[in-house]
Amino acid sequence: MTYQHQHQQPPPAYPPAGRPGPVGAPPAAPKRRGRVALLVAGGLVAVLAVAAGTAYGVSRLVGGGDDGKKLRTAWVLDFPELQRNGLKTYDGQDMFGAWLIGDAVVRAQPDGVIAYRLDDGAQAWGVPAPQATSLCAAAQTLAEGRGVVALGSADSCDTLVGFDAAAGTQTWRATFPVERRTGRSEIVAPDLSVAAGQVVVRSGENVLGYALADGKRLWQTDADRLLPGRDCRLTDAQAAGDQAVVTALCDGDRGALLGLDPATGKARWQQQLPAAQQSDGVLSVDPLVGLPGLNTETFVARDAAGKARATFGNPVDGTRFSDLPVNRSNTVSGPGIRPYLADADTLYLPTEASPVGGKMRQANQVVAIDLATGKRRWVSSGHTDSEVELVRLDEQGVLAWEVGDRRDLAPRLVRIDPATGEVTVVAEAPLSAGTEGSDARVLERDGTVVLVPWKQVTADAAITVLR
């Protein structure tokens, strides 16, 4: 297995003539408009150094507002146009990851990793996918401002690209072994995560480790090496904190869970999984919570060495929660991203949504589960009749976003008391932002709220910034 380093080249003359810039931008901006366009690069060398001013989307400053006591829409970013002319894109308007870095919001989308300035929506930098390729996965965690995405062509997802989100540049590029797509089957994306300065990739039956700083391949292993003498196949590999956790299905209806050192790939511990605890993977690595398997309904909370602490089902103590991925794709089969928050003691999950009256909207709450006992602690109370999206967990409790709608229910930023589950309103947003946060990555910093939907279903904008 080899890897390739990508050397930066001067960018070509770009963008094409005739593309005006964002509404509300300075006079020079009219040359920068254009919803989405890929840089054209010759041969195998991709130009991933993007000149200042290259625009991948149209950000629109939004005027007007209210009395200043509520959040207002600062700007929105149009969804990228679908690419044509033989270029394969994987659901061309999807989002694979979103982060707040410095003074910018970063969106990983099929044609590249693009950053927009929080203050006015102008493009800060871009790391585009090479010609005739498309992103197919992204590690959800950055480490010291560095991240990694996976991309590929029409028949595979076989290349890692490391990027520096502070500098806005590609840092390295490496290929990894994959099975090529045949016929009309889906593109298979790898399990991809970052831990302790390493990138952990599962591609089929292989698990590989790369250095996040320079893309050097550190190790490679598989089921035969990890579980010699057993008939096993790998189903999941996820990393966080200082370890990687690999899940295997073995001997029919049993399995195994292994903790690996992400720097060496060596197994630190192994736990056998009986049929009743069969697992397809993990919901969380730190704390460690295992997902049910195909023929089970049991979630297992485990300690750092993989030993079972507690089990719970769905529903838990009469409350049914949602464990469905929010990043479903029509053309890519890859790791599911499930909404949850957790600390060492408690797991927070959205409850299953249910219809509200005859108003054609869904409402849910948040359930807190004790990881020491597997029992329900509380179900949040005080929400509007709206969908709730988890934002983050900090010393003040759970921060969440109530989606609202566009008719009579304003979105709200709320706090959920970690002891009681009671809701306190932090800020209210305009009706125009209703449903933009549905099935979205919701980010917040210093009173600024950023909504980045995973798919263009109920949303009008790829990014909505409120402040």
Side-chain angles (χ1 to χ4, degrees):
M1 182 64 233
T2 61
Y3 66 93
Q4 305 172 9
H5 287 283
Q6 184 66 43
H7 299 288
Q8 290 186 353
Q9 302 286 334
Y14 192 84
R19 293 188 179 242
V23 176
K31 297 180 181 179
R32 294 166 39 218
R33 185 161 180 154
R35 290 193 172 181
V36 175
L38 289 181
L39 290 181
V40 177
L44 298 177
V45 180
V47 179
L48 292 180
V50 180
T54 299
Y56 281 74
V58 178
S59 60
R60 293 181 280 114
L61 297 175
V62 179
D66 45 43
D67 59 6
K69 296 180 180 178
K70 301 179 181 179
L71 291 170
R72 296 187 298 169
T73 304
W75 57 269
V76 298
L77 179 76
D78 291 346
F79 276 101
E81 292 176 345
L82 294 175
Q83 299 300 296
R84 307 295 185 186
N85 303 321
L87 173 64
K88 173 64 181 177
T89 60
Y90 306 135
D91 293 347
Q93 296 163 328
D94 285 1
M95 183 268 289
F96 294 101
W99 310 272
L100 291 180
I101 300 293
D103 62 354
V105 53
V106 180
R107 185 180 193 262
Q109 58 194 45
D111 61 336
V113 183
I114 318 297
Y116 298 90
R117 294 203 308 250
L118 278 175
D119 58 353
D120 60 7
Q123 184 189 325
W125 52 263
V127 177
Q131 183 184 18
T133 69
S134 181
L135 263 66
C136 38
Q140 297 304 297
T141 303
L142 304 184
E144 297 182 351
R146 294 177 180 268
V148 63
V149 297
L151 56 82
S153 58
D155 67 350
S156 66
C157 178
D158 64 353
T159 302
L160 302 177
V161 172
F163 65 93
D164 185 328
T169 58
Q170 174 188 293
T171 52
W172 53 269
R173 184 180 176 195
T175 58
F176 58 92
V178 299
E179 279 192 27
R180 303 285 167 176
R181 180 175 73 156
T182 58
R184 297 186 177 182
S185 60
E186 294 176 311
I187 293 290
V188 178
D191 293 336
L192 181 60
S193 49
V194 170
Q198 281 82 43
V199 179
V200 176
V201 181
R202 182 186 71 89
S203 175
E205 293 303 308
N206 293 296
V207 185
L208 307 97
Y210 296 83
L212 181 59
D214 60 11
K216 179 182 179 181
R217 201 185 78 188
L218 304 172
W219 52 270
Q220 180 176 350
T221 190
D222 56 26
D224 290 339
R225 294 186 184 95
L226 293 172
L227 298 159
R230 298 183 63 182
D231 181 17
C232 300
R233 62 180 178 86
L234 304 184
T235 61
D236 184 66
Q238 303 295 330
D242 64 351
Q243 77 171 339
V245 177
V246 175
T247 310
L249 179 63
C250 305
D251 310 322
D253 62 352
R254 291 174 293 172
L257 199 67
L258 302 100
L260 308 186
D261 181 343
T264 65
K266 302 291 186 182
R268 292 171 173 166
W269 52 263
Q270 180 183 147
Q271 295 290 342
Q272 301 303 309
L273 303 181
Q277 293 184 8
Q278 182 194 108
S279 176
D280 285 339
V282 297
L283 173 67
S284 168
V285 173
D286 185 18
L288 184 50
V289 181
L291 290 166
L294 182 62
N295 300 316
T296 66
E297 297 181 357
T298 303
F299 291 76
V300 183
R302 299 179 179 275
D303 64 18
K307 184 177 180 181
R309 299 168 59 193
T311 62
F312 57 93
N314 189 10
V316 55
D317 295 338
T319 299
R320 182 165 289 279
F321 54 86
S322 175
D323 57 359
L324 296 175
V326 292
N327 62 327
R328 295 178 292 275
S329 171
N330 297 326
T331 55
V332 178
S333 174
I337 298 170
R338 295 171 169 85
Y340 75 92
L341 296 172
D343 56 28
D345 304 313
T346 309
L347 177 67
Y348 303 91
L349 293 161
T351 66
E352 194 171 77
S354 59
V356 178
K359 296 187 177 182
M360 299 294 293
R361 60 178 175 233
Q362 302 285 313
N364 67 342
Q365 298 161 283
V366 176
V367 60
I369 300 172
D370 188 329
L371 292 178
T373 65
K375 299 296 184 181
R376 184 189 70 190
R377 283 185 169 165
W378 48 254
V379 177
S380 58
S381 59
H383 295 287
T384 58
D385 291 336
S386 177
E387 177 185 336
V388 179
E389 298 286 343
L390 298 168
V391 180
R392 69 165 180 269
L393 182 65
D394 56 31
E395 65 279 357
Q396 300 179 61
V398 176
L399 189 66
W401 180 258
E402 295 176 351
V403 172
D405 63 21
R406 298 182 188 277
R407 298 183 301 277
D408 60 357
L409 189 62
R412 304 192 309 181
L413 186 67
V414 300
R415 280 279 181 194
I416 303 175
D417 188 293
T420 66
E422 293 182 0
V423 166
T424 301
V425 178
V426 176
E428 188 173 291
L431 283 171
S432 60
T435 73
E436 291 301 306
S438 178
D439 288 336
R441 178 76 79 196
V442 183
L443 308 166
E444 189 275 344
R445 182 201 292 161
D446 299 331
T448 295
V449 176
V450 182
L451 312 175
V452 192
W454 291 97
K455 294 184 73 69
Q456 186 187 24
V457 179
T458 60
D460 290 335
I463 301 175
T464 299
V465 174
L466 308 162
R467 64 169 62 92

